[in-house]
Amino acid sequence: MKKFTGILLSTACVLGTIGMLASCNSTKGIGEETRKIVAECEKMNRDDLFKAAAEEIGDGTLKFIGTSSRFKNAIDAFKAELAKYNPKCANMTITKDSTVDGQIYTKLLTEIESGVTNGYDGALVQDGYQLQMKGINTGYFVNYIPKEWAEANDTNKELNGNPFSLQYNMKTWMTHNLPSSSNKVVIDNVWDITADTYKGKIQTMDPRNENVNMDWLIMLTQDKWCDVLKEAYEDSTNDNKALKVESYAKYGEKQKYAYAFMDGYIKNAVFNGDDGAARDNLVKADGSIGWIVYSKIASLSETDAVSKKNITIAALGDENTDGTTATSHIKGFGGFMYKHYLQVMPYTKHPYTTCAFINFLSTTSTGYAAWGKDIGDYPSMPSINVDRTKFGHGTLSEDKKFTQNNGEANVFPCLNDPASSWWESKDGGNVVIEDPAYIVTQYGKVMEFLNDAIAKK
């Protein structure tokens, strides 16, 4: 997970920034030629687009940057595709630059505002708030939607088309219980984590320093999720009905549930520098809870003291046979899906090639293979994903080495990852999904509340 590089913004500063960037919407002429070509690319099928890209780039260099370094694993396959149309493309170069959220936007905006014409051609970014503020409200970034994606019957155009989303990444609730535990912790309702019992037991990241956690908390204030929180609060599985939701009524009849939840979460949370550290601290203590990026547990090394066998993804339950859980095991929501977005830069020298690379990553199984084996990552075009419903099946050797095999025993139930359709469905994981436009409208208000709540911890 990536972190903000800047210091906290006060509410006044945030609102001032919104006004400043909104005024940039009046900027005309930035990348107009690029926009015309991108509009043309959206009408081209993959074959015609790749032909145009191969002619354009030849043995040149495409400058690409991402918050995920995974895209570099697709470069060789992309070059091979273009080489079918132009042999020179076998010698083309794609930069492998990657950096954290704050820095990537600084790099890109510096180039754009300076009128640099030999800078980055395209980018893979995350953090809906910064994307909306710095790339969309300013009118700087250019959105490209592949024709194959737009015409597919398994893509959500409204949710993922503008800004164009490559994939979802997910944070989710998880628990760690040792086999010898006499009082196993089960989180079957999101309000459970606000109970005093779990103070100091929730391993996560500080929302002031970690944009994804901030975006998640803001999304909870949306009417839809306030209703979900209300329903979960009133459910018999809620272990913390003593929490006085009415004391947060000044935030709104619906929003009081979101603010009450945020306050309880903050009081009980232990903030870590990154999700890897949160995961490592999760497995150090029996009966601990994590709000952590799902993929982080896959890389947890097995030892005599630490095992993925002891981790349960709350929504999936500890049985989780082949990722086919009928309904979620947690009331409320099972996780937060934030997105990776693919955008074209306005002064790109290679608009056809940039669009072709975005097309390759987002509409072909070969291109998406760079992320396909990562649990908790879901392409916005589900048909190109890898089936991970049996990723916890395999064999575990005496020296703790795991070999994944769908036909073997279910060694690690927590790794049996359902399809994104299950996570998104109301009866399934019912995950919260990032909405950049909404996040911008509530950022200052929620940040002010969180600053105060954290100060009182």
Side-chain angles (χ1 to χ4, degrees):
M1 192 58 50
K2 311 301 183 184
K3 297 189 293 182
F4 279 118
T5 56
I7 304 174
L8 294 178
L9 294 172
S10 67
T11 303
C13 180
V14 171
L15 294 175
T17 302
I18 291 174
M20 179 186 71
L21 289 178
S23 69
C24 293
N25 274 322
S26 61
T27 303
K28 301 295 183 182
I30 294 179
E32 286 303 312
E33 187 59 32
T34 296
R35 295 176 200 282
K36 292 178 183 177
I37 296 175
V38 168
E40 178 189 344
C41 290
E42 290 187 330
K43 298 175 183 178
M44 300 170 71
N45 62 37
R46 189 183 301 122
D47 185 57
D48 290 339
L49 178 61
F50 281 22
K51 285 179 183 177
E55 180 179 349
E56 175 187 70
I57 194 73
D59 57 1
T61 298
L62 183 73
K63 294 184 177 180
F64 197 85
I65 186 170
T67 48
S68 167
S69 62
R70 285 280 201 276
F71 75 86
K72 67 183 180 181
N73 297 329
I75 290 175
D76 289 343
F78 178 64
K79 289 167 59 176
E81 284 297 318
L82 292 194
K84 295 176 182 178
Y85 304 96
N86 182 355
K88 288 184 178 180
C89 293
N91 297 316
M92 71 172 286
T93 300
I94 300 181
T95 59
K96 301 177 181 178
D97 299 347
S98 62
T99 187
V100 296
D101 296 337
Q103 291 177 4
I104 197 170
Y105 288 105
T106 298
K107 284 177 179 285
L108 294 172
L109 265 66
T110 297
E111 287 188 350
I112 294 168
E113 292 174 348
S114 300
V116 173
T117 57
N118 63 344
Y120 288 108
D121 295 289
L124 185 157
V125 297
Q126 66 180 34
D127 180 12
Y129 172 72
Q130 291 199 80
L131 172 60
Q132 186 71 38
M133 291 292 291
K134 299 177 180 180
I136 297 174
N137 285 0
T138 56
Y140 287 169
F141 292 180
V142 183
N143 200 59
Y144 160 69
I145 303 175
K147 179 178 173 64
E148 289 78 10
W149 190 95
E151 295 179 350
N153 58 16
D154 66 339
T155 54
N156 188 323
K157 284 72 175 175
E158 181 179 357
L159 192 62
N160 298 314
N162 194 0
F164 181 65
S165 308
L166 166 68
Q167 64 171 356
Y168 297 137
N169 302 266
M170 190 167 70
K171 283 206 170 195
T172 191
W173 302 108
M174 57 189 73
T175 58
H176 176 255
N177 292 289
L178 295 174
S180 59
S181 177
S182 59
N183 189 19
K184 183 178 178 181
V185 170
V186 176
I187 303 301
D188 59 3
N189 188 306
V190 292
W191 288 96
D192 293 351
I193 64 96
T194 67
D196 291 343
T197 307
Y198 301 119
K199 186 174 180 60
K201 293 187 177 182
I202 302 173
Q203 299 295 332
T204 186
M205 290 183 66
D206 189 333
R208 300 170 303 174
N209 298 330
E210 207 255 354
N211 44 343
V212 170
N213 257 8
M214 184 67 189
D215 292 347
W216 159 58
L217 292 172
I218 294 172
M219 287 303 306
L220 294 183
T221 67
Q222 198 172 43
D223 283 357
K224 170 185 176 180
W225 295 107
C226 291
D227 290 342
V228 168
L229 284 169
K230 179 179 185 293
E231 183 179 347
Y233 180 84
E234 295 171 348
D235 194 86
S236 61
T237 57
N238 176 13
D239 293 339
N240 193 25
K241 287 188 177 178
L243 180 61
K244 299 184 184 303
V245 174
E246 286 304 321
S247 63
Y248 300 86
K250 68 178 182 179
Y251 296 102
E253 187 57 29
K254 286 179 178 287
Q255 280 62 40
K256 66 186 179 184
Y257 290 95
Y259 282 88
F261 179 84
M262 285 191 280
D263 204 17
Y265 162 77
I266 291 297
K267 287 177 181 177
N268 289 346
V270 176
F271 295 145
N272 293 265
D274 56 49
D275 278 281
R279 175 204 61 195
D280 293 343
N281 285 326
L282 172 77
V283 298
K284 287 179 181 177
D286 184 31
S288 55
I289 303 166
W291 174 249
I292 301 171
V293 172
Y294 188 11
S295 62
K296 286 295 180 183
I297 64 173
S299 57
L300 184 69
S301 298
E302 292 290 308
T303 68
D304 289 336
V306 174
S307 177
K308 290 185 283 292
K309 293 180 180 179
N310 303 329
I311 296 176
T312 297
I313 303 303
L316 300 176
D318 54 12
E319 297 299 324
N320 189 20
T321 304
D322 304 345
T324 55
T325 302
T327 58
S328 177
H329 288 252
I330 184 170
K331 296 291 184 182
F333 55 89
F336 173 58
M337 283 185 169
Y338 61 101
K339 303 178 186 181
H340 275 153
Y341 304 91
L342 289 165
Q343 296 285 283
V344 181
M345 294 302 103
Y347 296 127
T348 172
K349 294 178 66 176
H350 307 104
Y352 292 102
T353 312
T354 304
C355 289
F357 191 45
I358 291 174
N359 184 303
F360 184 68
L361 294 176
S362 61
T363 71
T364 72
S365 56
T366 304
Y368 191 74
W371 293 273
K373 292 187 177 180
D374 294 342
I375 59 172
D377 284 4
Y378 313 93
S380 63
M381 189 179 208
S383 59
I384 65 173
N385 204 11
V386 173
D387 182 352
R388 299 188 298 251
T389 54
K390 294 186 178 182
F391 259 38
H393 287 245
T395 55
L396 189 64
S397 65
E398 291 185 4
D399 60 352
K400 307 294 184 183
K401 301 297 181 184
F402 178 63
T403 302
Q404 196 280 328
N405 187 324
N406 287 0
E408 299 290 344
N410 189 9
V411 180
F412 300 126
C414 63
L415 299 184
N416 295 330
D417 182 13
S420 57
S421 58
W422 183 87
W423 284 110
E424 292 180 61
S425 70
K426 192 175 187 305
D427 291 332
N430 197 32
V431 292
V432 181
I433 299 177
E434 180 183 62
D435 179 351
Y438 178 78
I439 289 169
V440 166
T441 67
Q442 301 298 313
Y443 190 94
K445 183 178 180 181
V446 175
M447 177 62 89
E448 183 177 29
F449 175 83
L450 293 176
N451 282 339
D452 185 58
I454 291 170
K456 295 177 180 177
K457 271 175 66 72

